[in-house]
Amino acid sequence: MTPGSEPKTIAPRGRLADEVLDRLAVTLGETGVALGLDPADRPVLLDLFRPEPTRVAFVGGWWAAQVLVFRCLGHGASVSVEAVDAVDPARTGTLATAAHWLALDEAAGGTGERVVWRRSSPGGPPASARRPELWLRDVGATQHDASARGAGPWPTQLTMLPQLTAASLAVLAGVDLLLVQRLSAVEAELLASSYPIDPGWLQRLTTMDNDMVAALGGGAIRLVRLMPTATERRLFG
């Protein structure tokens, strides 16, 4: 080998001492599903998926519900849907049909495997931190089953409700997180009758903008503006 023709890809010999390696660390920020921005324009990340089974309830409209599920899909979740074939709010209090929910698979660029139909309990591969399971139930308050939740790690049951009624209060019992859009005065009073809320919050829950959600959990309430992306606006309006 002639001078100056030595390979340039050979790494120099040597290694870091063990005590140096022990001091190396990477600090990770808060993780979760990005819900939007709080009143101080700080990102709000929801801890929707946890090692233990988790129950979440959503009270609101179809637009915000789609955005929420779409972001869960972006987080890597697979979605199992239990829903009705036809919406009859007066009878069932449902938000959408099974066909509407299943259409979110195509919106998220799926091939029919990310959002699937489940008639009873979640199925398929076991959920994991990289691929958590969202069990979406849109069957109305009268069909609520408090015991119907995933088994094993990383499943989250999300119950959808178009409005809060006396019949739907049972859904809220024992939830780990409650998400609500703007409530009527009657709905706010109903919520306060079964959920610990400071009276000062009742007025705020009835005056939120259309693109806002209140997240109630862990003894705290956070107001969040969803801040839809260009893609979400194109898909959901």
Side-chain angles (χ1 to χ4, degrees), residues 38-39 44 177-178 180 191 195-202 204-205 208 213-224:
D38 69 10
V44 176
L177 178 68
L178 173 61
V180 299
L191 180 61
Y195 203 91
I197 298 179
D198 187 285
W201 272 98
L202 292 184
R204 301 181 72 177
L205 294 178
M208 292 188 294
V213 170
L216 296 79
I221 301 178
R222 293 178 289 177
L223 293 181
V224 186

Coordinates of all heavy atoms in Angstrom, one line a residue, residues 38-39 44 177-178 180 191 195-202 204-205 208 213-224:
D38 N -52.7 24.3 25.3 CA -53.5 24.9 26.4 C -53.6 26.4 26.2 O -53.0 27.0 25.3 CB -52.8 24.5 27.7 CG -51.5 25.1 28.0 OD1 -51.1 26.0 27.2 OD2 -50.8 24.7 28.9
P39 N -54.2 27.1 27.1 CA -54.4 28.6 27.0 C -53.1 29.3 27.0 O -53.0 30.5 26.5 CB -55.2 29.0 28.2 CG -56.0 27.7 28.5 CD -55.1 26.6 28.2
V44 N -50.3 20.0 24.9 CA -50.9 19.1 25.8 C -50.9 17.7 25.3 O -51.4 17.4 24.2 CB -52.4 19.5 26.1 CG1 -53.1 18.4 27.0 CG2 -52.5 20.9 26.7
L177 N -60.0 9.1 32.4 CA -59.9 10.4 31.8 C -61.2 10.7 31.1 O -61.8 9.8 30.5 CB -58.8 10.4 30.7 CG -58.6 11.7 29.9 CD1 -58.1 12.8 30.8 CD2 -57.6 11.5 28.7
L178 N -61.7 11.9 31.3 CA -62.9 12.3 30.6 C -62.6 13.5 29.7 O -62.0 14.5 30.1 CB -64.0 12.7 31.7 CG -65.3 13.4 31.2 CD1 -66.0 12.4 30.3 CD2 -66.1 13.8 32.3
V180 N -64.5 16.3 27.3 CA -65.8 16.9 26.9 C -65.6 18.1 26.0 O -64.7 18.9 26.3 CB -66.6 17.2 28.2 CG1 -66.9 16.0 29.0 CG2 -65.9 18.3 29.0
L191 N -72.9 16.8 35.1 CA -71.5 16.4 35.3 C -71.1 16.7 36.7 O -70.5 15.8 37.4 CB -70.6 17.1 34.3 CG -69.2 16.8 34.4 CD1 -68.9 15.3 34.1 CD2 -68.4 17.6 33.4
Y195 N -69.3 14.1 39.2 CA -67.8 14.2 39.0 C -67.3 15.4 39.8 O -67.9 16.5 39.7 CB -67.6 14.4 37.5 CG -66.2 14.1 37.0 CD1 -65.9 12.8 36.5 CD2 -65.1 15.0 37.0 CE1 -64.7 12.4 36.1 CE2 -63.9 14.6 36.6 CZ -63.6 13.3 36.1 OH -62.4 13.0 35.7
P196 N -66.2 15.2 40.5 CA -65.7 16.4 41.3 C -65.2 17.5 40.5 O -64.2 17.5 39.9 CB -64.6 15.7 42.1 CG -64.1 14.5 41.3 CD -65.4 14.1 40.6
I197 N -66.0 18.6 40.4 CA -65.7 19.8 39.7 C -65.9 21.0 40.6 O -66.9 21.2 41.2 CB -66.6 19.9 38.4 CG1 -66.4 18.7 37.5 CG2 -66.3 21.2 37.7 CD1 -67.2 18.8 36.3
D198 N -64.9 21.9 40.5 CA -65.0 23.2 41.2 C -66.1 24.0 40.6 O -66.2 24.1 39.3 CB -63.7 23.9 41.2 CG -63.7 25.2 42.0 OD1 -64.3 26.2 41.6 OD2 -63.1 25.2 43.1
P199 N -67.0 24.6 41.3 CA -68.1 25.3 40.7 C -67.6 26.4 39.8 O -68.4 26.7 38.8 CB -68.8 26.0 42.0 CG -68.5 25.0 43.1 CD -67.1 24.5 42.8
G200 N -66.4 26.9 40.0 CA -65.9 28.0 39.1 C -65.7 27.5 37.6 O -65.6 28.3 36.7
W201 N -65.6 26.1 37.5 CA -65.4 25.6 36.2 C -66.6 25.4 35.3 O -66.6 25.2 34.1 CB -64.7 24.2 36.3 CG -63.2 24.3 36.4 CD1 -62.4 24.3 37.5 CD2 -62.3 24.5 35.2 NE1 -61.1 24.5 37.1 CE2 -61.0 24.6 35.8 CE3 -62.5 24.6 33.9 CZ2 -59.9 24.7 34.9 CZ3 -61.4 24.7 33.0 CH2 -60.1 24.8 33.6
L202 N -67.8 25.3 36.0 CA -69.0 25.0 35.3 C -69.3 26.0 34.2 O -69.6 25.6 33.1 CB -70.2 25.0 36.3 CG -70.2 23.8 37.3 CD1 -71.4 23.9 38.1 CD2 -70.1 22.5 36.6
R204 N -67.1 27.8 32.6 CA -66.1 27.7 31.5 C -66.4 26.5 30.6 O -66.2 26.5 29.4 CB -64.7 27.5 32.1 CG -64.3 28.7 33.0 CD -63.0 28.5 33.6 NE -61.9 28.7 32.6 CZ -60.6 28.7 32.9 NH1 -60.2 28.5 34.1 NH2 -59.7 28.8 31.9
L205 N -67.0 25.4 31.2 CA -67.3 24.2 30.4 C -68.5 24.5 29.4 O -68.7 23.8 28.4 CB -67.7 23.1 31.3 CG -66.5 22.5 32.1 CD1 -67.0 21.4 33.0 CD2 -65.3 22.1 31.2
M208 N -66.9 27.0 26.0 CA -65.8 26.7 25.1 C -66.1 26.8 23.7 O -67.2 26.7 23.2 CB -65.4 25.2 25.4 CG -64.8 24.9 26.8 SD -64.1 23.3 26.9 CE -65.6 22.3 26.8
V213 N -61.6 21.3 23.8 CA -61.9 20.1 24.6 C -61.4 20.4 26.0 O -60.3 20.9 26.2 CB -61.3 18.8 24.0 CG1 -61.5 17.7 25.0 CG2 -62.0 18.5 22.7
A214 N -62.2 19.9 27.0 CA -61.7 20.0 28.4 C -61.3 18.5 28.8 O -62.1 17.6 28.5 CB -62.8 20.5 29.3
A215 N -60.1 18.4 29.3 CA -59.7 17.1 29.7 C -59.7 17.0 31.3 O -59.0 17.8 31.9 CB -58.2 16.9 29.2
L216 N -60.5 16.1 31.8 CA -60.7 16.0 33.2 C -60.1 14.6 33.7 O -60.5 13.6 33.2 CB -62.2 16.0 33.6 CG -62.9 17.3 33.3 CD1 -63.3 17.5 31.9 CD2 -64.2 17.4 34.2
G217 N -59.1 14.7 34.6 CA -58.5 13.5 35.1 C -57.5 13.8 36.1 O -56.8 14.9 36.0
G218 N -57.2 12.9 37.0 CA -56.2 13.1 38.0 C -56.5 14.3 38.9 O -55.5 14.9 39.5
G219 N -57.8 14.7 39.1 CA -58.1 15.8 39.9 C -57.9 17.1 39.3 O -58.0 18.2 40.0
A220 N -57.6 17.2 38.0 CA -57.3 18.5 37.3 C -58.2 18.6 36.1 O -58.7 17.6 35.6 CB -55.8 18.6 37.0
I221 N -58.4 19.8 35.6 CA -59.1 20.1 34.4 C -58.2 20.9 33.5 O -57.6 21.9 34.0 CB -60.4 20.8 34.7 CG1 -61.3 20.0 35.6 CG2 -61.2 21.1 33.3 CD1 -62.6 20.7 35.9
R222 N -58.1 20.5 32.3 CA -57.2 21.3 31.3 C -58.1 21.6 30.1 O -58.7 20.8 29.5 CB -56.0 20.5 30.9 CG -55.0 20.3 32.0 CD -53.8 19.4 31.5 NE -54.2 18.0 31.3 CZ -53.4 17.1 30.8 NH1 -52.2 17.4 30.4 NH2 -53.8 15.9 30.6
L223 N -58.1 22.9 29.7 CA -58.7 23.3 28.5 C -57.7 23.3 27.4 O -56.6 23.7 27.5 CB -59.2 24.8 28.6 CG -60.4 25.0 29.6 CD1 -60.8 26.5 29.6 CD2 -61.6 24.1 29.3
V224 N -58.1 22.7 26.3 CA -57.2 22.4 25.2 C -57.9 22.8 23.8 O -59.0 22.5 23.6 CB -56.8 20.9 25.1 CG1 -55.8 20.7 24.0 CG2 -56.4 20.4 26.4

